[in-house]
Amino acid sequence: TDRKKLHTALVGQVFRLRPFHVLVATGGGYAGYRKYEGYKLEQLEKRGIEVPVKLASEWEVALYKSVPTRLLSRAWGRLNQVELPTWLRKPVYSLYIWTFGVNMKEAAVEDLHHYRNLSEFFRRKLKPQVRPVCCVHSVISPSDGKILNFGQVKNCEVEQVKGVTYSLESFLGPRISREEMHFSQAPPGNSFQQQLVTKEGNELYHCVIYLAPGDYHCFHSPTDWTVSHRRHFPGSLMSVNPGVARWIKELFCHNERVVLTGDWKHGFFSLTAVGATNVGSIRIYFDQDLHTNSPSYSKGSYNDFSFISNNKEGIPMRKGEHLGEFNLGSTIVLIFEAPKDFKFNLKAGQKIRFGEALGSL
């Protein structure tokens, strides 16, 4: 009888699952299933088979958001900072290199024993000569990655991948006050898109670059410009791989992101670093006050910081200059103003490397 009671008590403890645990397990399993679905779609695309767009419903997005990706990403970030024994470094990094196709011949330091932890390995620097910066074209790729989409912004909507859009205003947030902007006042316009265009005859363009885990994780200035403002949106940390971007509408508006805005020779210019699962931090080198992936935040909130103060006119950035880094891999979104004859020299889905031209006038 005592054995039976003990056995019953142990079984009762094992199966006494709280609602939170059930939700996390269900959400995690579903997220894994979606990852597998995304992988299958990528394989079909490689074979040239067009895949119809199938967007997630509200309950699917809510279920995905129930997975504690922010907590897991912070844990992953801390794990990455644990110093590995010298004898363990080569096997661990070699497995990562094999899994994600990392080209260590481009690294400034090829010796795997040099990197004390995974974080240092992720943020490895490149040899200067392997990424020459294009001097002919005015806008270059700020990072290595894959081109998800590009083109003109139309009807205040931006494409994250072909056929799936998000709101320009939701992504960038409300219009920044004129006092905080370095460039001249934009002519009056009815739409949010028109308010961003500062010169008559110009258009608004966008380009989305996805950084895979095996890519170079630093990003650079895509042109000569002046950064006048930073807006940080705390948010979810859902995966931003092409499969998920095709599945969740306004994915980039759900996720944590850092929006840098300013001006270049043709008017408005912005670069947005979008967070993702396991991206423990987004770092901007000249912004020491920025802290991403905090334990708590208010839904829909954001915080602003102006770089125009103490007689400064913003942060000048030269084309190709180091700008920031991700802790793993994510997405860069460029939204900028340019004359109507600006042309992208790209194809959707192509691989691109930092320093290569995005477009020209």
Side-chain angles (χ1 to χ4, degrees), residues 24-94:
V24 169
T26 306
Y30 191 74
Y33 167 73
R34 291 306 313 178
K35 280 269 194 179
Y36 174 68
E37 288 291 307
Y39 171 77
K40 289 199 301 183
L41 289 176
E42 287 183 10
Q43 296 305 309
L44 291 174
E45 281 187 344
K46 288 179 180 180
R47 291 161 55 186
I49 301 173
E50 189 171 346
V51 181
V53 174
K54 184 181 179 181
L55 295 176
S57 61
E58 289 186 12
W59 72 265
E60 287 178 309
V61 176
L63 185 59
Y64 192 178
K65 281 187 171 182
S66 72
V67 180
T69 51
R70 294 179 64 84
L71 176 62
L72 292 173
S73 297
R74 285 195 298 275
W76 178 249
R78 291 187 179 182
L79 179 63
N80 291 344
Q81 295 172 6
V82 174
E83 184 169 343
L84 297 175
T86 305
W87 62 268
L88 189 58
R89 294 175 188 177
K90 188 170 182 178
V92 170
Y93 301 148
S94 296

Side-chain angles (χ1 to χ4, degrees), residues 35 72-73 76-77 80 96 100 102 118-124 143-144 210-219 239-240 274-283 324-331:
K35 280 269 194 179
L72 292 173
S73 297
W76 178 249
N80 291 344
Y96 186 91
F100 297 108
V102 179
L118 282 165
S119 183
E120 285 189 2
F121 179 72
F122 294 149
R123 295 181 287 106
R124 63 192 177 277
S143 65
D144 290 5
Y210 167 67
L211 289 74
D215 287 327
Y216 169 55
H217 292 77
C218 298
F219 51 93
S239 172
V240 293
V274 183
T277 307
N278 289 338
V279 179
S281 65
I282 301 171
R283 183 183 173 194
E325 62 188 36
F326 291 110
N327 208 27
L328 188 55
S330 193
T331 298

Side-chain angles (χ1 to χ4, degrees), residues 48-218:
I49 301 173
E50 189 171 346
V51 181
V53 174
K54 184 181 179 181
L55 295 176
S57 61
E58 289 186 12
W59 72 265
E60 287 178 309
V61 176
L63 185 59
Y64 192 178
K65 281 187 171 182
S66 72
V67 180
T69 51
R70 294 179 64 84
L71 176 62
L72 292 173
S73 297
R74 285 195 298 275
W76 178 249
R78 291 187 179 182
L79 179 63
N80 291 344
Q81 295 172 6
V82 174
E83 184 169 343
L84 297 175
T86 305
W87 62 268
L88 189 58
R89 294 175 188 177
K90 188 170 182 178
V92 170
Y93 301 148
S94 296
L95 177 62
Y96 186 91
I97 290 168
W98 176 80
T99 303
F100 297 108
V102 179
N103 184 1
M104 283 303 294
K105 291 183 179 180
E106 297 179 335
V109 180
E110 296 184 39
D111 182 12
L112 298 180
H113 296 101
H114 168 80
Y115 303 100
R116 294 173 297 176
N117 52 47
L118 282 165
S119 183
E120 285 189 2
F121 179 72
F122 294 149
R123 295 181 287 106
R124 63 192 177 277
K125 304 301 181 184
L126 298 181
K127 296 172 182 174
Q129 66 273 18
V130 300
R131 294 290 187 275
V133 175
C134 177
C135 299
V136 179
H137 300 288
S138 54
V139 184
I140 61 168
S141 176
S143 65
D144 290 5
K146 178 181 180 180
I147 301 294
L148 293 189
N149 217 305
F150 61 91
Q152 280 190 22
V153 177
K154 297 180 180 179
N155 302 319
C156 295
E157 292 282 323
V158 186
E159 281 194 320
Q160 59 190 28
V161 293
K162 186 178 179 181
V164 182
T165 63
Y166 57 92
S167 164
L168 179 65
E169 186 170 3
S170 296
F171 182 70
L172 295 179
R175 176 82 168 122
I176 300 166
S177 63
R178 296 168 187 166
E179 291 77 11
E180 296 184 41
M181 300 306 293
H182 180 224
F183 50 84
S184 60
Q185 178 183 338
N190 296 325
S191 70
F192 182 80
Q193 178 178 338
Q194 291 172 332
Q195 292 173 24
L196 293 180
V197 178
T198 64
K199 298 180 182 179
E200 188 175 351
N202 280 1
E203 297 287 349
L204 208 59
Y205 297 87
H206 74 97
C207 183
V208 184
I209 304 170
Y210 167 67
L211 289 74
D215 287 327
Y216 169 55
H217 292 77
C218 298

Side-chain angles (χ1 to χ4, degrees), residues 218-236:
C218 298
F219 51 93
H220 301 246
S221 175
T223 192
D224 295 333
W225 64 310
T226 300
V227 183
S228 57
H229 189 271
R230 178 258 289 161
R231 176 169 284 163
H232 172 218
F233 291 86
S236 301

Side-chain angles (χ1 to χ4, degrees), residues 133-142 221-225 264-266 269 317-320 334 336-339 341-345 355-361:
V133 175
C134 177
C135 299
V136 179
H137 300 288
S138 54
V139 184
I140 61 168
S141 176
S221 175
T223 192
D224 295 333
W225 64 310
W264 70 316
K265 60 183 179 182
H266 297 297
F269 199 98
M317 298 295 300
R318 304 297 297 175
K319 183 170 64 174
L334 302 179
F336 57 93
E337 175 185 359
D341 57 349
F342 181 86
K343 301 293 182 184
F344 283 103
N345 304 319
E356 295 179 345
L358 289 181
S360 61
L361 293 168

